[in-house]
Amino acid sequence: MQMKGLVRVFAALLVVFSLYQLSFTWIVSGHEKKMKEKAVKQVHALMPAAATKYPGNKELQALYQDSIDNAIAIRYQRLLDSTSQQKVGIWGFNYKDSKDQEAKLGLDLQGGMNVTLEVGMADLLRSLTGYTSDKAFNEALAKAVQQKATTGLDMIDLFVKNYKEIAPANKLAPLFIANSNKRISLESSDAAVITYIRKESDVAFQNTFNILRNRIDRFGVASPTINPDNVKKIITVELAGVTDQERVRKYLQSSANLQFFELYSINEIDQSLLKAEQILAATLKGATIAKDSTGKIDTAALAKADSAAKKDTSAAAFAKEAPIRSLLAQVLQPSQDQGGKVVFPSAIAIVQTKDTAALGERLRDPIVAGQFPSNLKFAFGYAGGENEKTSGFLALYALKTVDGMRAKLEGDHISDAGQDFDERGRVAIKMNMDNIGARVWATMTEQNIGKGIAIVLDDFVQTAPTVNGVIPNGSSEITGSYEIKEAQDMAEMLKSGKLPAPAKIVQEQVVGPTLGEDAINGGSLAFIISFFVIFVFMLLYYNNSGWIANISLILNLLFTVAILTAMGATFTAASIAGLVLTIGMAVDTNVIIFERIKEELSLGRGYQTAVNNGYRRSLAPVLDAHVTTFLTAAILYYFGLGPVRGFAYVQMWGIVLNLFCGILISRTLTDWFTNKQRHLEYFTTIGKRVFQHAKFKFIEFRKTAYIISVVVALLGVGAIFNGFDYGVEFKGGRSYTVRFDKPMNTQEVSDDLNKVFGEHPIVKTIGATNQLNITTAYKIEEVGANVDSTVERVLYTGLQKSLPAGVSFEEFERSYKVGSQTVLPTISEDLKRGAILATIFSILIIVGYIFLRFRDWRYSLGTIVSLMHDVLVTLAVFSFLKNIVPFSLEIDQHFIAAILTVIGFSMNDTIIVFDRIRENSHSMAGADNGTIINKSINDTLSRTIMTSLTVFLTILILFVVGGEVTRGFAFAMLIGVVTGTYSSIFVAAPILVDFAKGKPLGEKPSATKAKAAIAK
């Protein structure tokens, strides 16, 4: 009685807490609706409607409407900011605090951007050595980077392994001692050095995370989420509602490494440039490079041979004769000012942007690099002019480095930075330095009067002003063709500090607001219909006892949503799928219990005895089913990323709360009815007829079932050779969802894009004939701040025939490209490996649990064969039907989530059957195993079918109306539920007959042998 009272109190407290927590969502929504209406009214009071402003001109109306919409968005945000401290709702909280407490929607439900950043451990290792030029170190690190991309193993382990293979006699300490601040010495062992490196990597990762978090907090995005994973060295960032993707990429990937370099002039390196030119030209023509007696290159002989060979004056010949100069649009020479003084330009040459990659490759050639001063470092930068960013030209600078390619003054000494304007009214970034920086800056400016000093951010020269006099106060500025917001972003990055280990985006997902709206509408509709169907179904099948299941279901959903909201979880389309599955699981629990109560009543037990036995005897299979499902969800949460992790998180909480609601609250409600002198009815006309007193001979058909299973296994193996339609997550590449104004022909679109990509992308219809998913590997191996935007512009160019005339790139981005995803090959390998490990671990853990639960290896064998059967069936369906069904059957993270969930649900049915087999083996002493197993399957047949049917119905609804985001997942689940039911009856249980001949099923084989020995 005390336990029941505690359950009532705890349930009441949970109801109050849930209503309180969810009220914030209602309060915030009401306030934002008022502010939106106010913003619309204020803007419309100042700006007339588009039709009034430009009557009859649709193009001008559209442009003007964009201005109105933008003005409304700005005004709306200002109203929210101005009312952030205003009290809203009934609890006395202000808007800002209430906003933090509301239910948060993920980017796939409201649009936005999700990125996974990999923290660069290779760059950290270089910095720990002081950017050593040691050949063995650099070769080992290069190999480690390459192996990391294909194996996903730990970077430090890979580096150490490769270094020991290349230089087995060398110790690690000499490489890292200089920058270790005496934490290691020359006598330190390799193990001690590795420990030091790992500590530094952990510190660098945490610092990188902190800096990124500071940047994001200043980014102006509502409720951003940032999750670090120190083991994998990745950071996941979700920015719901963000629209400027290119700004996000630059903001997150910029290391903010600011440096101040002295410069070489063209006069100082012209002879080096000439030598490098001659040697490279001779090398490209296959000539043998002559050396004098000292081993140096005989440049005189080389020049003579080179001069004698020049005959062809064509452009192609010039490129071969002058491999460096042919790529230079202009070589900048010194000039004289009005006073006759020689003025040296900061840059040495101007280069077309399209030629920078080729020129950089040639300047990095070891033979070429050897002709220049050892401390020279080439860098590109802005060429100057009002439109320098769009001019198509970049300047080439020759930087003077010190101490391992560092600058004389590093950005660590910047104490403050902010956006400002220069004397000409241009947007600028003003910076102040600390005392040390100010002293170094004063010396540098004093020594370089009349010369340029390059201000370099992330290896790109932002500006290179000529020094007119000493700057003693440590003040400086960066000028250029900056937008105000861009300059503000850069200033914020400089203030927050440079990243100790640079971060690179390895996975990216962008969801447009229209696609997000479709996802939330489909998911919500699936949730509502599922709830209604199951609600009615329980009443039709279980009479008024169905109200117990429905009340339990309502409370389960209420508690799950409220607790997830309180813990700051973000609800995504995958989360809604998790809630739909929670409906199925909540009903499953009550079905198992109610079917046992019905069975007890059919055996003539009294009402109270039947209820007691029903709850008591159902406890073990219910717990087993929940434990196995929870374990698979936990494994999915550990190995998954992004929305799939959210799905697993929702499922785990749903499982825990379902145990409380499905067992404790249901029992409490049942006893409450009984105490009121009222008995619940568990039978209806339908319930009395379905599977009652079934006596099917399942075991007799096991050989036929074995043949079917062998065919299934062969198809599953054949699926590997037939191939799968791998999603972009598992093969790497860029995937775009584009919505057109008319139905599209996928082959024609693929042919058009082949002309610009140089390869046929994969083009598939998504949901409707006017919505396509386009996947390409174009430039996926390239890295850089502008690669993503470059690929998107190429995509836009290739789709010109399919878009209405006059659609600009900006309009294409805003209205036609409704979603995108980028996964680099590095992370795709990690995801594939994680998916395989997750599946293997799930099967092994469940098999191990079954062994501990039943203490008999035969049950574990039946389990593993059954699970492998289910997995192979699903694989075969996804392989052989991938080009037949009218929707996508991609192998991606959602598919793996479905497989693991199928494994958990399949175990629900198998455990129910196994538990009854063990129970009957004790009560049917002397009966043969076939008879026991047949009776056990028939006894539990109604539960097996009903639990599968309820889950199947909820998943079917999700499949039909849930939208494209979860359709492949739902289809895999539908296949899994059907095959899981089949395998529990025709695979898992019959195996016990053939592996337990002459041995009782209720005891361990060892106990059987002992009894046989005693009998003898």
Side-chain angles (χ1 to χ4, degrees), residues 413-712:
H413 298 294
I414 298 297
S415 59
D416 192 23
Q419 181 269 317
D420 208 330
F421 299 90
D422 66 6
E423 68 279 358
R424 295 170 57 187
R426 296 181 303 177
V427 177
I429 302 163
K430 296 290 180 71
M431 299 172 292
N432 292 316
M433 303 179 188
D434 59 21
N435 292 333
I436 296 175
R439 286 197 298 271
V440 176
W441 187 232
T443 302
M444 285 182 68
T445 53
E446 182 180 11
Q447 295 174 350
N448 289 275
I449 294 176
K451 300 179 181 179
I453 291 182
I455 302 177
V456 182
L457 182 66
D458 292 343
D459 290 328
F460 190 86
V461 179
Q462 301 291 323
T463 185
T466 300
V467 179
N468 296 320
V470 180
I471 303 177
N473 58 1
S475 178
S476 58
E477 70 178 17
I478 304 175
T479 58
S481 300
Y482 298 121
E483 301 277 345
I484 291 179
K485 195 65 183 175
E486 184 181 10
Q488 290 173 344
D489 287 347
M490 289 177 64
E492 291 292 350
M493 288 189 289
L494 294 176
K495 282 197 293 187
S496 62
K498 73 174 183 179
L499 300 181
K504 178 180 70 172
I505 294 177
V506 292
Q507 183 179 14
E508 172 190 307
Q509 182 185 15
V510 178
V511 178
T514 54
L515 200 62
E517 187 177 349
D518 291 346
I520 194 169
N521 290 339
S524 301
L525 185 61
F527 177 80
I528 293 169
I529 295 176
S530 298
F531 184 86
F532 176 77
V533 168
I534 295 301
F535 195 95
V536 173
F537 179 79
M538 294 302 288
L539 294 176
L540 290 177
Y541 195 80
Y542 290 111
N543 211 315
N544 61 4
S545 63
W547 284 106
I548 302 295
N550 289 333
I551 293 171
S552 172
L553 171 62
I554 293 171
L555 292 178
N556 188 5
L557 292 173
L558 177 67
F559 297 160
T560 302
V561 173
I563 289 177
L564 289 172
T565 301
M567 297 188 70
T570 301
F571 290 94
T572 65
S575 301
I576 294 178
L579 288 175
V580 172
L581 281 176
T582 297
I583 293 175
M585 282 207 65
V587 173
D588 276 357
T589 301
N590 288 113
V591 166
I592 293 171
I593 295 171
F594 290 175
E595 287 297 318
R596 188 69 195 227
I597 292 174
K598 286 170 62 178
E599 187 178 339
E600 295 290 325
L601 290 171
S602 298
L603 292 173
R605 307 273 199 271
Y607 173 80
Q608 192 59 53
T609 302
V611 169
N612 291 338
N613 288 347
Y615 275 95
R616 179 172 56 82
R617 292 178 176 177
S618 298
L619 182 61
V622 167
L623 285 175
D624 289 336
H626 281 71
V627 168
T628 52
T629 308
F630 185 90
L631 287 173
T632 55
I635 291 170
L636 181 62
Y637 180 80
Y638 178 80
F639 285 103
L641 285 176
V644 173
R645 275 191 113 184
F647 164 79
Y649 191 65
V650 170
Q651 196 177 15
M652 286 190 290
W653 271 108
I655 289 167
V656 172
L657 291 168
N658 186 43
L659 282 175
F660 174 71
C661 296
I663 297 176
L664 297 179
I665 289 184
S666 292
R667 181 62 192 271
T668 301
L669 289 171
T670 300
D671 289 344
W672 181 78
F673 268 90
T674 303
N675 293 336
K676 294 291 184 179
Q677 303 301 315
R678 297 170 61 189
H679 287 177
L680 292 168
E681 295 294 333
Y682 290 91
F683 289 97
T684 61
T685 304
I686 299 174
K688 288 179 179 178
R689 294 177 180 174
V690 178
F691 302 119
Q692 294 300 311
H693 310 295
K695 294 182 180 180
F696 300 107
K697 297 186 179 297
F698 294 102
I699 298 303
E700 282 71 8
F701 292 99
R702 70 183 187 280
K703 291 183 180 179
T704 303
Y706 288 163
I707 294 172
I708 295 173
S709 297
V710 169
V711 172
V712 165

Side-chain angles (χ1 to χ4, degrees), residues 147 210 249 372 422 578 685 687 693 841 869:
Q147 292 167 356
N210 292 336
R249 295 176 189 128
F372 293 97
D422 66 6
T685 304
H693 310 295
F841 279 141
H869 171 276

